[in-house]
């Protein structure tokens, strides 16, 4: 197994980041971790954009959680690959933010990803994402947090 540098981040060459059989947990962080995802308008816009990209085949969103300064996603990448899906999402969100936000750059460079290798790992990552608002003191029960959910097709 070799590890390649990709825009300053390590990417394992033996993982097909465009393989739809792979699920990934990813985290996208606001620069510099300021609390900008705090309004219904902003968060609904982000969720709608996730859905548009899903409809276009960029990814399948099993789970999302929008925190004030970052977003957690559990996704299945489409044929274009994980990096293109993330780049498209961040680009569209940044464009909206330039017109409706505080005028500062929205995103940190890159993103954090974790390949999910098993059903148990999938369950654990989903629980981690769902519990994030509880750990941050934003909700006492994950079911009550309004900015987490799923776009998975049933």
């Amino acid at each position: 197994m070799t590890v390649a540098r990709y825009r300053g981040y390590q990417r394992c060459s033996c993982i097909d980041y465009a393989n739809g059989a792979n699920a990934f947990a990813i985290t996208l962080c606001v620069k510099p971790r300021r609390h900008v995802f705090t309004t219904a308008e902003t968060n609904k816009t982000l969720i709608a954009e996730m859905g548009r990209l899903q409809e276009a085949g960029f990814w399948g969103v099993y789970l999302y959680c929008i925190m004030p300064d970052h977003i957690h996603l559990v996704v299945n990448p489409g044929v274009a690959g994980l990096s293109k899906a993330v780049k498209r999402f961040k680009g569209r969100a940044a464009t909206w933010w330039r017109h409706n936000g505080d005028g500062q750059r929205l995103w940190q460079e890159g993103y954090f990803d974790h390949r999910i290798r098993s059903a148990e790992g999938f369950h654990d990552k989903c629980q981690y994402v769902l519990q994030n608002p509880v750990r941050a003191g934003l909700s006492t029960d994950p079911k009550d947090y309004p900015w987490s959910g799923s776009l998975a097709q049933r």
Side-chain angles (χ1 to χ4, degrees):
M1 171 173 69
T2 61
V3 177
R5 298 296 284 178
Y6 175 78
R7 294 188 185 175
Y9 296 89
Q10 290 185 345
R11 295 285 186 252
C12 180
S13 63
C14 67
I15 296 174
D16 182 357
Y17 286 84
N19 181 345
N22 290 322
F24 291 87
I26 61 176
T27 304
L28 313 172
C29 297
V30 172
K31 182 175 183 153
R33 295 300 293 257
R34 57 194 202 284
H35 289 206
V36 298
F37 303 141
T38 57
T39 68
E41 178 189 15
T42 299
N43 294 345
K44 286 178 183 177
T45 299
L46 294 170
I47 294 165
E49 192 54 50
M50 290 175 208
R52 281 191 283 277
L53 290 175
Q54 179 167 288
E55 289 170 10
F58 279 89
W59 59 18
V61 179
Y62 293 118
L63 186 64
Y64 64 85
C65 182
I66 303 171
M67 300 293 288
D69 63 350
H70 64 282
I71 299 174
H72 290 286
L73 296 162
V74 177
V75 300
N76 181 297
V79 294
L82 183 63
S83 63
K84 286 196 187 216
V86 171
K87 182 178 181 179
R88 181 71 55 101
F89 175 75
K90 287 174 71 173
R92 289 183 176 182
T95 298
W96 182 87
W97 185 254
R98 273 193 299 280
H99 299 293
N100 301 283
D102 63 9
Q104 296 183 48
R105 185 175 174 169
L106 181 59
W107 299 112
Q108 286 183 3
E109 292 292 323
Y111 57 95
F112 301 97
D113 66 60
H114 173 80
R115 180 177 176 223
I116 299 171
R117 293 174 173 81
S118 67
E120 181 182 357
F122 184 84
H123 177 267
D124 291 347
K125 279 296 176 186
C126 288
Q127 286 303 309
Y128 172 83
V129 169
L130 290 171
Q131 289 295 325
N132 213 258
V134 175
R135 284 190 304 276
L138 300 173
S139 177
T140 57
D141 187 326
K143 294 180 204 118
D144 296 334
Y145 189 66
W147 306 118
S148 60
S150 176
L151 302 180
Q153 306 280 327
R154 295 183 196 263

